[in-house]
């Protein structure tokens, strides 16, 4: 792991693989960390350079400042790290709030993208009351206390059956996060939507967009992904059967195969 200062805040990131390969930037879900990508990175490295990072107050990244966090702020982190990797254009994949980062890149920085894979996310996720209520509870109760309630919503029941320690492990990870940063990101999701901002951005001759979801996802159910696909002028969507909110953790082999197919299809790998 390495660290880079972006807008006065220390950001933890990993940059893995050969610098002659095209770059893929991976953005993790709210309350988790860049570790969600660990099981798919080995499949990517033979052909891609991989960049992951921790969102504000998550993993080893410094907590957010007092200013409100915006999707533009998070996209700026992705762009700064891509520049650090000397990549003018790059592939992007993001899950949940990571997919919100991807939507911001599509809306405002589509010229930087080779492809965008958005999983378990939406142009609208939840509603302001839901997010503001959660932000208030996190500030009052703390992430450690709330993790037992939130973590089970991330995974399909089959995932806990296959790995009984999964819940406890991610509860520990979530509980170590910064309460205020998490609360601010909740408020960001309540304030910002991408309805009406994505149409016309998915230009087939420029870059490819692919959407994935999980049939058992309680946070962003298939209907939320279907609405996002419509916002993106009918971008292709595939729903993974028996998978919840985090396919890179629940079904890493399947997800890696599907992601590599997106990266290498039609437009090539982005190698000149």
């Amino acid at each position: 792991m390495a660290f880079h200062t972006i807008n006065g805040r220390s950001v933890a990131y990993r940059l893995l693989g050969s610098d002659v390969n095209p770059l893929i930037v991976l953005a993790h879900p709210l309350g988790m960390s860049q570790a969600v990508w660990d099981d798919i990175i080995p499949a990517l490295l033979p052909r891609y350079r991989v960049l992951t990072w921790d969102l504000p107050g998550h993993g080893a990244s410094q907590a957010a400042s007092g200013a409100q966090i915006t999707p533009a702020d998070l996209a700026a982190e992705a762009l700064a790290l891509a520049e650090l990797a000397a990549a003018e254009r790059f592939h992007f994949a993001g899950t949940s709030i990571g997919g919100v980062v991807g939507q911001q890149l599509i809306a405002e920085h589509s010229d930087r993208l080779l492809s965008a894979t958005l999983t378990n996310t939406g142009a609208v996720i939840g509603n302001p009351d839901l997010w503001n209520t959660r932000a208030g509870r996190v500030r009052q109760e703390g992430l450690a206390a709330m993790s037992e309630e939130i973590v089970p919503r991330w995974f399909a029941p089959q995932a806990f059956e296959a790995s009984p320690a999964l819940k406890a492990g991610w509860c520990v990870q979530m509980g170590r996060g910064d309460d205020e940063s998490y609360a601010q990101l909740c408020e960001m999701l309540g304030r910002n939507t991408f309805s009406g901002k994505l149409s016309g951005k998915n230009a087939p001759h420029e870059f490819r967009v692919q959407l994935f979801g999980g049939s058992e996802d309680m946070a962003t159910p298939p209907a939320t992904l279907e609405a996002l696909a419509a916002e993106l002028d009918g971008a292709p969507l595939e729903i993974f059967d028996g998978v919840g909110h985090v396919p890179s953790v629940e079904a890493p082999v399947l997800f890696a195969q599907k992601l590599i197919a997106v990266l290498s299809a039609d437009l090539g790998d982005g190698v000149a």
Side-chain angles (χ1 to χ4, degrees), residues 2-6 11 13 15 23 49 51 77-87 112:
F3 298 89
H4 185 54
T5 301
I6 303 174
V11 175
Y13 73 95
L15 181 58
L23 180 71
R49 199 177 192 200
L51 193 155
E77 291 188 2
L79 292 170
L81 292 169
E83 289 171 7
L84 190 67
R112 301 294 302 277

Side-chain angles (χ1 to χ4, degrees), residues 165-188:
L166 186 67
K167 177 183 174 183
W170 280 108
C171 283
V172 170
Q173 173 68 69
M174 183 178 186
R176 290 174 175 168
D178 177 67
D179 296 340
E180 179 60 23
S181 299
Y182 184 97
Q184 287 194 32
L185 288 169
C186 288
E187 291 167 341
M188 184 198 84

Side-chain angles (χ1 to χ4, degrees), residues 156-166 249-250:
Q158 301 95 303
F160 292 128
E161 293 170 8
S163 177
L166 186 67
V249 173
E250 294 176 79

Side-chain angles (χ1 to χ4, degrees), residues 65-190:
S65 67
Q68 286 186 340
I69 304 173
T70 67
D73 293 330
L74 302 183
E77 291 188 2
L79 292 170
L81 292 169
E83 289 171 7
L84 190 67
E88 183 175 344
R89 298 183 71 196
F90 55 92
H91 298 283
F92 179 89
T95 296
S96 190
I97 196 171
V100 172
V101 179
Q103 291 173 67
Q104 179 68 28
L105 291 170
I106 291 170
E108 300 294 339
H109 304 282
S110 60
D111 59 317
R112 301 294 302 277
L113 296 173
L114 294 169
S115 72
T117 300
L118 311 179
T119 98
N120 306 80
T121 189
V124 179
I125 303 176
N127 59 70
D129 286 344
L130 178 155
W131 290 117
N132 290 335
T133 297
R134 182 179 291 187
R137 287 189 60 197
V138 166
R139 290 187 174 106
Q140 182 176 10
E141 302 172 34
L143 284 172
M146 291 189 65
S147 63
E148 291 279 343
E149 172 186 336
I150 295 172
V151 169
R153 293 176 53 84
W154 292 344
F155 301 105
Q158 301 95 303
F160 292 128
E161 293 170 8
S163 177
L166 186 67
K167 177 183 174 183
W170 280 108
C171 283
V172 170
Q173 173 68 69
M174 183 178 186
R176 290 174 175 168
D178 177 67
D179 296 340
E180 179 60 23
S181 299
Y182 184 97
Q184 287 194 32
L185 288 169
C186 288
E187 291 167 341
M188 184 198 84
L189 291 172

